[in-house]
Amino acid sequence: MMRIDALHVTAQSGAHLLRGVSLAIGKNRFLGLVGESGSGKSTLGLALLGLLAPTLRLEGRLTLDGTPYDPVSDRGARPAPRLAMIFQDPATALHPLFTIGTLLDDVLRRRDPALPRATRRTRIHEALARVELPDPPSLATRYPHQLSGGMRQRVMIAMALLARPDLLVADEPTTALDATVEAGILALVARLRAEGALSSMLLISHHLALVAATCDDLAVMYAGRIMETGPAATIAAAPAHPYTAALLACDPARIAPGAPVPSIPGEVPDPHDTPPGCLFAPRCTRAEPRCRTETQSLRPLPTDPARHAACWKATA
């Protein structure tokens, strides 16, 4: 569905936020993008929708369904943009001065300008019911602050369904929710996909195990670079890159009761001042001398061409 080739995002200060990111998101497939905070995940999502700040420079090539894609011009395309986004915090993404019905109606009027008002109202109620929100006619008259966090996130999903995008970008859609509500949102996403309401999606998260259980494919990002890609279940079972293995080791579900909570020593490098060689080398327990001077490109694993890793010592 979308191919991203050598995508760079650079600030006027010289900070490199994305460094030659290349990814492919297949038709009717979910791609999970994981990494620590500051890795560049949200920057990539915003870049795809043309929502980067004007002070940031975007370079690279994008194609959508085989056609060259310009995020800035396609964002204003009529009758509708080809991408939609579920933002990380629906409390700030939903305009507080408009009712839920007005917000969803705006999406429909943009998607189908000639659609009669009565038909739009019916579709709004159907979309709210589809995401399992109670009493859609009443809920459509309420404002975002009158809803819980989980309900607001379901409204964001309903907006995405009404837009009918070719590709949906979900930027950490469950981060602000408690574990029970998070499970409900993920179950909803799975059901909508099974019903054909969702096709291609880029799911951004810091929780590798969660993404592996939800997505078909997985990409691991660190300091603006892709470190590993491949089938999600395979990577979760046997990570090839030391950074991927370190992320999995920090998964709470893998920690024995009473055991200390593990963490990855050090911090994600400052985008203004990155070390030579592999960006993860200063924190890597398997680093060797050349890792600190030479950068390994993303290459297929000898044992599995469907998987790629940017590491001299990648194993699977």
Side-chain angles (χ1 to χ4, degrees):
M1 176 57 66
M2 172 168 276
R3 183 171 294 279
I4 305 166
D5 292 310
L7 194 68
H8 292 262
V9 172
T10 310
Q12 289 180 337
S13 62
H16 296 279
L17 306 182
L18 294 181
R19 303 165 180 269
V21 171
S22 294
L23 287 173
I25 306 172
K27 288 186 178 181
N28 301 314
R29 293 185 72 82
F30 282 14
L31 171 67
L33 180 64
V34 300
E36 295 170 277
S37 297
S39 293
K41 307 184 301 300
S42 294
T43 298
L44 176 60
L46 294 172
L48 297 183
L49 275 88
L51 297 177
L52 290 175
T55 55
L56 298 178
R57 184 173 74 252
L58 176 67
E59 298 176 287
R61 184 171 182 268
L62 302 172
T63 55
L64 186 59
D65 203 15
T67 303
Y69 167 70
D70 183 339
V72 177
S73 62
D74 266 43
R75 184 179 59 170
R78 298 293 182 177
R82 302 184 66 185
L83 275 70
M85 190 168 191
I86 299 174
F87 293 93
Q88 186 173 146
D89 184 4
T92 56
L94 297 172
H95 200 298
L97 299 183
F98 295 99
T99 65
I100 300 302
T102 300
L103 293 171
L104 269 65
D105 188 61
D106 185 60
V107 174
L108 272 181
R109 286 188 292 110
R110 181 178 174 82
R111 187 68 177 82
D112 298 299
L115 207 62
R117 182 176 181 179
T119 304
R120 297 200 309 268
R121 185 185 303 112
T122 299
R123 292 192 181 178
I124 288 169
H125 295 167
E126 290 174 348
L128 292 173
R130 195 168 194 178
V131 296
E132 301 172 358
L133 285 168
D135 194 5
S138 174
L139 189 138
T141 66
R142 299 166 69 182
Y143 291 86
H145 73 272
Q146 296 176 304
L147 308 183
S148 68
M151 294 174 75
R152 285 193 293 261
Q153 197 60 279
R154 289 173 186 266
V155 168
M156 291 289 296
I157 296 173
M159 293 176 72
L161 296 179
L162 288 174
R164 303 201 306 274
D166 296 321
L167 173 65
L168 176 63
V169 178
D171 184 11
E172 304 204 34
T174 62
T175 294
L177 308 177
D178 62 44
T180 303
V181 179
E182 176 184 63
I185 294 295
L186 292 176
L188 171 63
V189 169
R191 180 177 65 77
L192 291 172
R193 185 186 190 187
E195 294 174 354
L198 295 176
S199 54
S200 299
M201 184 168 79
L202 173 64
L203 176 60
I204 298 170
S205 178
H206 62 276
H207 193 169
L208 197 155
L210 178 151
V211 168
T214 306
C215 297
D216 308 295
D217 308 301
L218 182 65
V220 181
M221 178 177 279
Y222 181 77
R225 289 196 65 205
I226 300 298
M227 294 298 187
E228 183 171 0
T229 63
T234 306
I235 291 178
H241 197 286
Y243 179 59
T244 309
L247 287 176
L248 277 170
C250 296
D251 180 12
R254 295 174 176 242
I255 303 172
V261 178
S263 63
I264 305 175
E267 299 179 349
V268 177
D270 186 332
H272 294 88
D273 183 24
T274 52
C278 175
L279 298 177
F280 186 61
R283 308 173 69 190
C284 182
T285 57
R286 295 168 52 194
E288 55 188 37
R290 68 172 173 175
C291 297
R292 303 183 186 280
T293 57
E294 302 176 48
T295 301
Q296 174 60 278
S297 59
L298 204 63
R299 60 175 182 170
L301 299 185
T303 56
D304 187 353
R307 298 181 59 184
H308 294 72
C311 179
W312 298 108
K313 304 177 71 174
T315 58

